[in-house]
Amino acid sequence: MKIHFPGKLVFGKNTLEQLPDEVTALSCTRALVVTITPLLGQLKGFVSKLEASGVQVQTNTSIVNEPSFAEVQQLLQEVKGFNPDVVIGIGGGSVLDVAKVTAALLENEQGLKDIVGIGFLKSRPKKLICMPTTSGTGSEVSPNSILVDETDNQKKGIISPFLVPDIVYVDPLLTMGVPAAITAATGIDALTHCLEAYTNLFAHPFIDVYAYEGMRLIAANIVQAVQNGNDEEARTQVAMGSLLGGFCLGPVNTAGVHALSYPLGSAYHLAHGLSNALLLPYVMEFNYVAAPKRYADVAVALGCEREADDVKTALKGIDKIRSLISACGIPARLRDVGIPKEAIPQMAVDAMKITRLLKNNPRPITEKDAIDIFNAAY
């Protein structure tokens, strides 16, 4: 097992207030802040403190959906002249993924196409700080960035230890304003990271600790976080669960749910967390026969009582996932989000290309299996 942790991790309420001192301690003179327009008001004080300390700040809010290669290239062109010393990503997973790649490619001889895949990025010239504002992707602590290649409309991963940030701040209070639908989808995404790591063909005892506790925290708190977004305790526990899920992504990673969800995002532009939620119970139904003990443990982490045997317990866990998805107000079927049934064969073909995740699945998934799972989810 290999695991690359951030150089520093700070978790707690109101930690955004400490971030300006963290940046100035790096002796940086130019900072690029990658974020989204709705956060600019909350970040006004942060930017003002940096500027008062003599740090020039350029803010970029160009990333509004799941990012593409073209959008990253455009951002790199826009900030090349500014040439920041540090890139600070403050936002959801898409923003953080772009901030990570930007810090890696500025003043780097490698180009974007050179680093796609596992282990091809050889350095990161710029310092990197990440601060999530949703509880979902875990990108703030993972070695992954996921971008859409518009030439073939496929999601592609850039995986490298150089994408793990130098400094990570997690302030659960930044998630308080996230709408219920996004809280639900990103929370189930984080739960899926933990669940797919725990049931992974390459599961590891060290990561099991993070995965199990992440499942427990999210399952116990996600419904309250969705239904009462002002509940600081629920938001904090889900944020911690999401962080734990992020730690699962480098050493173990996800599996069949994520692989099959990629075509939903790239072809139909469904939010990543929603794509996972739509498929999670159906992939669990496919998988549990190959790893009943692991799926029984999942059920217990989700809050279920152990039954007489592992299979019965595992089935209780699948029912629990369905009830969580329903309680969070997430659509249960592909047809509910406008996916045409005739698209299923091509989605299965596209999912088979995500071999880096399919190889992790506890039960091999063939193209026919993928079609069957999509049909079950329809």
Side-chain angles (χ1 to χ4, degrees):
M1 185 194 71
K2 286 184 179 178
I3 184 164
H4 296 270
F5 286 109
K8 182 176 183 178
L9 169 64
V10 178
F11 183 102
K13 299 174 186 177
N14 294 309
T15 48
L16 176 61
E17 296 176 4
Q18 303 170 26
L19 192 54
D21 293 336
E22 195 76 64
V23 177
T24 54
L26 296 173
S27 300
C28 295
T29 58
R30 295 178 306 282
L32 170 66
V33 177
V34 183
T35 188
I36 57 174
T37 301
L39 288 172
L40 291 177
Q42 284 177 274
L43 298 181
K44 197 171 182 181
F46 166 68
V47 171
S48 296
K49 286 180 183 177
L50 286 182
E51 291 175 336
S53 301
V55 179
Q56 295 180 56
V57 180
Q58 182 170 321
T59 302
N60 184 285
T61 58
S62 63
I63 305 303
V64 294
N65 294 308
E66 293 195 348
S68 68
F69 282 24
E71 287 172 315
V72 171
Q73 298 282 27
Q74 178 67 29
L75 191 155
L76 287 168
Q77 283 300 314
E78 288 176 8
V79 304
K80 188 176 179 182
F82 180 63
N83 193 23
D85 306 304
V86 59
V87 177
I88 305 167
I90 304 178
S94 295
V95 165
L96 300 186
D97 282 3
V98 169
K100 289 157 70 171
V101 173
T102 301
L105 289 180
L106 284 169
E107 292 197 308
N108 193 331
E109 292 182 358
Q110 290 183 285
L112 181 54
K113 292 294 178 78
D114 300 327
I115 66 174
V116 175
I118 301 173
F120 293 111
L121 176 63
K122 301 305 181 188
S123 66
R124 170 166 50 78
K126 304 299 182 180
K127 291 184 173 66
L128 175 63
I129 299 173
C130 283
M131 189 168 201
T133 59
T134 62
S135 297
T137 68
S139 179
E140 67 272 12
V141 294
S142 86
N144 308 341
S145 285
I146 310 298
L147 306 174
V148 176
D149 183 348
E150 58 280 346
T151 61
D152 58 8
N153 212 29
Q154 298 295 315
K155 282 188 177 186
K156 295 182 180 175
I158 301 165
I159 295 94
S160 168
F162 293 107
L163 292 183
V164 178
D166 300 301
I167 298 168
V168 174
Y169 270 59
V170 182
D171 185 345
L173 297 186
L174 288 180
T175 70
M176 298 288 285
V178 177
I182 298 175
T183 299
T186 56
I188 297 298
D189 183 26
L191 178 58
T192 306
H193 294 156
C194 298
L195 193 155
E196 290 207 281
Y198 193 85
T199 57
N200 202 290
L201 202 59
F202 302 99
H204 191 282
F206 187 85
I207 298 304
D208 285 349
V209 176
Y210 297 111
Y212 190 94
E213 182 65 4
M215 286 188 287
R216 191 189 70 79
L217 288 173
I218 296 169
N221 293 280
I222 183 62
V223 174
Q224 176 65 5
V226 170
Q227 295 181 354
N228 182 8
N230 293 321
D231 188 323
E232 289 187 11
E233 182 62 18
R235 290 284 196 181
T236 299
Q237 298 303 330
V238 174
M240 177 57 77
S242 175
L243 178 67
L244 295 173
F247 284 131
C248 297
L249 294 177
V252 176
N253 216 344
T254 56
V257 177
H258 274 71
L260 268 62
S261 80
Y262 273 26
L264 302 182
S266 54
Y268 296 98
H269 308 292
L270 288 191
H272 174 66
L274 174 58
S275 300
N276 284 329
L278 287 163
L279 296 174
L280 177 56
Y282 304 99
V283 176
M284 290 176 73
E285 283 183 331
F286 177 83
N287 280 345
Y288 83 91
V289 294
K293 171 69 169 68
R294 282 270 152 174
Y295 277 91
D297 290 346
V298 165
V300 175
L302 297 176
C304 301
E305 296 288 333
R306 275 200 191 274
E307 298 295 322
D309 59 55
D310 287 338
V311 168
K312 289 179 179 176
T313 310
L315 290 171
K316 278 285 187 73
I318 298 170
D319 288 342
K320 177 69 173 183
I321 285 292
R322 282 200 167 94
S323 70
L324 286 174
I325 289 170
S326 175
C328 287
I330 297 173
R333 295 279 181 177
L334 295 180
R335 61 173 176 261
D336 297 336
V337 294
I339 303 295
K341 192 159 191 178
E342 57 269 23
I344 285 176
Q346 185 59 49
M347 292 195 307
V349 169
D350 290 340
M352 289 299 99
K353 298 172 185 176
I354 316 300
T355 54
R356 68 180 181 87
L357 301 182
L358 289 172
K359 68 179 175 59
N360 300 332
N361 206 61
R363 182 181 175 189
I365 298 178
T366 65
E367 187 177 321
K368 181 186 180 301
D369 294 330
I371 290 173
D372 290 343
I373 291 168
F374 283 134
N375 277 324
Y378 200 81

